[in-house]
Amino acid sequence: MSNSVTTGMLPDHYEQLAKTVRDFAQSVVAPVAAKHDEEHSFPYEVVSGMADMGLFGLPFPEEYGGMGGDYFALCLALEELGKVDQSVAITLEAGVSLGAMPVYRFGNEDQKQEWLPLLASGKALGAFGLTEAGGGTDAGATKTTARLDDGHWIINGSKQFITNSGTDITKLVTVTAVTGATGPRGQERSDSGDGHGKKEISSILVPVPTEGFTAEPAYNKVGWNASDTHPLSFDDVRVPQENLLGERGRGYANFLRILDEGRIAIAALSVGAAQGCVDECVKYAKEREAFGQRIGAYQAIAFKIARMEARAHAARTAYYDAAALMLAGKPFKKAAAIAKLVASEAAMDNSRDATQVFGGYGFMNEYPVARHYRDSKILEIGEGTTEVQLMLIAREAGL
């Protein structure tokens, strides 16, 4: 069985972090993963353990309650968690890169001081309200609106597929909303977005609870059953004008930056899933016997697992590269899209092959490979579909 981080490949502090999270994943997460998946229950005890380890604060400075690490450290943690339970991994990923990171990247000092220590502690979760029924990637289809009234934003509309939005510890939802429309030369034409100009989209912080905000009943999903996901509704939600996050009209552009970063994190999670399938198959192929010998001795099985290992390795290299560019302050949009594309497909392909290696057992939900098979499909959809990644890669290539 190969580890995701080979000794000597990375600096010691990264190696130690990966080992610590790996041990936690195996000893704390894995034993309860099947139970939470079957019950569709949120793993509060696991999240509390991650909070105690400081995982939710990994990429944030100590002055804001963080661990003083970086985004690559978060990715290493996600890879290790993704090996055994994607629901737990996405809870961390969304809590950090979608819940807290927008405040860190675009918030003013007062907003950072108010929210980051709480979110970085892991004692509270933030959510990212972008996707709507008629538009996620399509910003022009955004229908949620926010208008100013006596020093407050009045928000009306709905969002869907929002992770970490309805837990007992959810304390913040950041919402993108149409706050006006601009004319051909950029001048404001309407304060409500009802005019004919291009929609002005801003992002606004909504504390939870706030009157008029509702997390509707959770979805019944194919996978990620222990991850919290809800549609949201906003009915005359009233928050102070100061809750504007970043510059007015830059909400969608800012969140595109957040999604670029998040694709590296999703790639890391995907690599964990791909590698987890390899690890389970290697162990099973050494134990399971058919026709008088272990199935790993058959070339058909051995080669299938070898291809799985190659996919995981290639995908890991891709997200390492994207993370290195990001941390160096260099353009990383194309590398992030490549990493997300390659890694999500590796997870889906490996989970399918792992189910085949396990045969009938692979179709039983009690086995990790079955959960990976159900869970991995969303990796090709969330934070930008495969088609969106191809579009970005082609555009960055000059097409």
Side-chain angles (χ1 to χ4, degrees):
M1 184 174 72
S2 66
N3 292 327
S4 64
V5 181
T6 305
T7 302
M9 185 175 179
L10 294 171
D12 288 344
H13 66 288
Y14 287 134
E15 297 276 7
Q16 186 57 48
L17 170 66
K19 181 183 184 303
T20 299
V21 179
R22 187 181 313 133
D23 292 344
F24 174 82
Q26 294 295 335
S27 63
V28 177
V29 182
V32 299
K35 173 180 178 291
H36 284 297
D37 177 77
E38 182 179 359
E39 297 177 354
H40 292 218
S41 55
F42 188 75
Y44 287 101
E45 77 282 15
V46 174
V47 172
S48 178
M50 293 194 294
D52 291 341
M53 294 170 66
L55 299 189
F56 287 91
L58 274 175
F60 303 116
E62 294 179 10
E63 65 182 294
Y64 297 122
M67 298 294 288
D70 56 31
Y71 208 85
F72 184 59
L74 171 66
C75 289
L76 292 177
L78 291 171
E79 180 179 345
E80 296 301 334
L81 293 169
K83 288 180 180 180
V84 299
D85 192 342
Q86 292 187 41
S87 288
V88 166
I90 195 59
T91 298
L92 175 63
E93 192 276 337
V96 176
S97 71
L98 299 181
M101 193 59 73
V103 179
Y104 177 60
R105 293 289 186 214
F106 309 116
N108 57 41
E109 191 61 26
D110 288 343
Q111 291 168 338
K112 291 178 183 179
Q113 293 291 349
E114 179 180 2
W115 289 109
L116 284 181
L118 184 62
L119 298 176
S121 74
K123 305 301 181 184
L125 293 175
F128 171 91
L130 173 66
T131 304
E132 297 187 8
T137 303
D138 181 6
T142 300
K143 294 182 179 179
T144 297
T145 62
R147 61 180 176 84
L148 281 174
D149 177 61
D150 193 25
H152 288 77
W153 292 107
I154 310 299
I155 306 170
N156 284 282
S158 62
K159 300 290 181 176
Q160 65 177 16
F161 310 141
I162 310 303
T163 305
N164 293 346
S165 58
T167 74
D168 293 344
I169 57 174
T170 300
K171 298 300 181 185
L172 176 69
V173 176
T174 303
V175 182
T176 53
V178 178
T179 52
T182 56
R185 298 181 182 179
Q187 71 270 26
E188 187 172 319
R189 300 235 340 232
S190 167
D191 199 41
S192 63
D194 297 329
H196 295 291
K198 181 179 179 182
K199 289 181 179 179
E200 173 194 83
I201 298 177
S202 306
S203 51
I204 300 170
L205 301 173
V206 178
V208 178
T210 294
E211 185 177 357
F213 166 80
T214 304
E216 304 292 349
Y219 294 101
N220 183 11
K221 297 172 292 186
V222 171
W224 283 7
N225 287 329
S227 168
D228 178 84
T229 320
H230 296 261
L232 308 178
S233 62
F234 302 84
D235 184 10
D236 283 340
V237 172
R238 188 179 185 90
V239 298
Q241 183 175 352
E242 293 75 21
N243 282 29
L244 179 71
L245 181 65
E247 182 182 345
R248 179 171 174 171
R250 293 288 299 171
Y252 193 75
N254 287 346
F255 275 115
L256 288 181
R257 161 66 190 241
I258 293 298
L259 289 176
D260 284 339
E261 297 178 359
R263 285 166 185 147
I264 304 175
I266 291 294
L269 191 164
S270 301
V271 168
Q275 189 66 55
C277 288
V278 174
D279 296 346
E280 291 294 328
C281 284
V282 169
K283 181 170 64 175
Y284 184 74
K286 288 180 177 180
E287 298 172 350
R288 175 78 160 91
E289 291 190 0
F291 303 103
Q293 62 180 339
R294 291 171 303 198
I295 64 171
Y298 294 107
Q299 192 176 75
I301 299 297
F303 279 12
K304 189 180 290 291
I305 297 173
R307 286 190 179 277
M308 293 167 62
E309 175 75 353
R311 291 187 196 114
H313 177 82
R316 182 178 299 110
T317 302
Y319 99 71
Y320 275 25
D321 176 61
L325 290 172
M326 174 187 164
L327 294 181
K330 298 180 180 179
F332 66 93
K333 181 185 289 287
K334 182 172 74 171
I338 290 172
K340 204 272 187 181
L341 171 72
V342 171
S344 62
E345 291 187 343
M348 193 67 237
D349 289 345
N350 277 16
S351 66
R352 184 186 62 247
D353 284 352
T355 302
Q356 193 73 16
V357 169
F358 271 69
Y361 292 111
F363 204 60
M364 302 297 111
N365 280 327
E366 65 192 273
Y367 287 85
V369 296
R371 295 200 304 275
H372 278 309
Y373 188 47
R374 288 186 288 106
D375 288 347
S376 293
K377 183 56 196 173
I378 190 61
L379 296 170
E380 296 182 312
I381 298 172
E383 296 204 37
T385 62
T386 294
E387 291 74 22
V388 167
Q389 307 316 312
L390 291 169
M391 177 185 71
L392 291 172
I393 294 165
R395 183 182 297 164
E396 292 293 313
L399 299 176

